[in-house]
Amino acid sequence: MSENRAMQYAEILSKLIKVETISSRESKDITKFLGFHEVLRETYPGLFETAEVESFDGSLLLKWKGTDPSLEPVLLMNHHDVVEASGEWTHPAFSGAIADGKVWGRGTLDTKGGLAMMLQAAEELIAEGFTPRRDTYFVSACTEEIGGEGGDAISRELEKRGIKFHMVLDEGGMIMYDPIGGADGTFAMIGVGEKGYVDLKFIAKSNGGHASAPGKNTPLVRLGKFMAEAEKAECFTVEMPDAVKEMLSRFSPTMSGIMKTACSNVNAFKPVLKKVMPMISPAGAALLRTTLAFTMSKGSEGANVIPQEAWVVGNMRFSHHQGKKSSVDAITALAKKYDLEVEIIDDGIESDITDYKGEAFKFIEKAVNTVFPEYKPAPYIMNAATDSRYFCRVCDNCLRFVPFKINKQQLDSVHGIDENVDIETLAPAVDFYRYVIREA
């Protein structure tokens, strides 16, 4: 890999990081996103001159026309909005600092880094005179971090236009060592699906009163008992999806002891694995069942006042096997046990799982094997949400993978402090996207 090439990509990414693009539910002003689009135009002039470009309230849709209209198009995605960047950073969050072999700043991994390398691949191919056979679309939304309004709107418009994609590739898994604990190897984690997302509000009511003479089961007490029981997750069914079975099977050669034996024979050891995986890590547990995390709460305004109404908000990520309705019904039944009302704040959207035996997955798997022969591809189901969930309307093969090699600190820095990406992983990422665009 040319050091000059790596530094060129680092400087491009640094320029994009310096443009602050925090999205907020409280603001509808898209001025900064439109400004970011201008930076993209300056950075990738060939692509923006070649492609048809549309803006959807700050979210971008580009279409690079192919030579064969009979073929279904492909779509590559990475959003350009980012989350806030509070706390003490080694380098300021929007400095785009290039130091210690890394580019630092909010969005380097989530997901301006993927966006920069994706568009760079297209820019280079255009400069070389290449035209894809399939129409190749690019989407970059400015609302992914606040619910996905942009991705939703673009997918609905594409559906209205009658467009059906052969494959969608969005953000998601990356290349990392020991993804779940016990796998002594580095894997390219390719998301074949993502759990659904619902926000629920649990409300406890009473007559209120003075805190000096409390009765039994006041609103906050009932909410506390409910949360304690809900945390045990016994109302959510545990199952092992086929994609998770395949993931464990691919991990097994790098494992040892009982885990190696169990993961080498997943079907035979499934009952054991269903009990053991939740003990390994919260991520392991989340792969097998619906989860509910309590994130917001409110009681009375006074320290000496029993509230007439108190509430907590729970963020639910529902499994494919139990689904949204059954998951919501299960937690609603538990809430009624404590005399709580349940309100759905965000109804979310259900999306499908892409077949890891199918053509699209095998193609991305081949791209990984070609560009990163030293790393093993593995399918998995994402616990987090991406914009690609909306594009299941227009594609049966939505995959989630960004070709960056990261370590645990970098994984933890996503939505955290000191987000950064290694410079040495940028050029291989461009090569990966070049392969996808060229060979699709």
Side-chain angles (χ1 to χ4, degrees), residues 16 105-106 136 143 149 170 223 258 311 315 340 388 417 424:
L16 302 189
R106 179 62 83 219
T136 302
T143 57
E149 182 181 330
D170 194 8
L223 286 169
I258 184 62
W311 53 259
N315 176 246
L340 306 179
S388 59
I417 293 173
E424 66 179 9

Side-chain angles (χ1 to χ4, degrees), residues 80-131:
H80 58 271
D81 67 320
V82 299
V83 297
E84 64 179 18
S86 57
E88 294 294 323
W89 288 55
T90 302
H91 301 278
F94 297 101
S95 66
I98 299 175
D100 304 319
K102 306 173 188 296
V103 182
W104 299 77
R106 179 62 83 219
T108 47
L109 292 174
D110 188 15
T111 61
K112 285 182 180 176
L115 174 65
M117 301 309 112
M118 178 180 84
L119 299 184
Q120 180 65 29
E123 184 73 11
E124 292 179 3
L125 288 170
I126 288 170
E128 294 166 10
F130 173 81
T131 302

Side-chain angles (χ1 to χ4, degrees), residues 376-392:
K376 309 170 186 69
Y380 84 115
I381 295 175
M382 288 184 63
N383 295 321
T386 71
D387 274 335
S388 59
R389 67 190 185 274
Y390 297 111
F391 289 83
C392 288

Side-chain angles (χ1 to χ4, degrees), residues 288-349:
L288 307 183
R289 67 185 178 209
T290 294
T291 60
L292 183 68
F294 296 101
T295 55
M296 301 170 66
S297 64
K298 187 178 185 301
S300 68
E301 298 293 337
N304 62 346
V305 178
I306 296 171
Q308 291 184 341
E309 179 177 305
W311 53 259
V312 295
V313 168
N315 176 246
M316 174 182 282
R317 306 298 172 106
F318 56 86
S319 64
H320 288 84
H321 66 265
Q322 189 162 9
K324 178 168 63 176
K325 184 179 185 304
S326 179
S327 296
V328 171
D329 287 349
I331 201 66
T332 298
L334 180 62
K336 286 182 178 178
K337 176 180 173 181
Y338 295 97
D339 193 23
L340 306 179
E341 297 176 11
V342 180
E343 176 186 334
I344 295 178
I345 303 173
D346 185 340
D347 197 28
I349 184 171

Side-chain angles (χ1 to χ4, degrees), residues 241-283:
D242 288 343
V244 175
K245 292 179 188 176
E246 180 67 14
M247 178 191 77
L248 294 175
S249 177
R250 296 190 186 199
F251 287 171
S252 65
T254 69
M255 292 176 160
S256 59
I258 184 62
M259 284 301 291
K260 182 181 183 71
T261 302
C263 291
S264 298
N265 303 275
V266 175
N267 286 327
F269 284 86
K270 188 168 74 169
V272 174
L273 287 167
K274 285 165 66 173
K275 291 182 178 179
V276 170
M277 282 184 64
M279 300 176 189
I280 295 174
S281 68

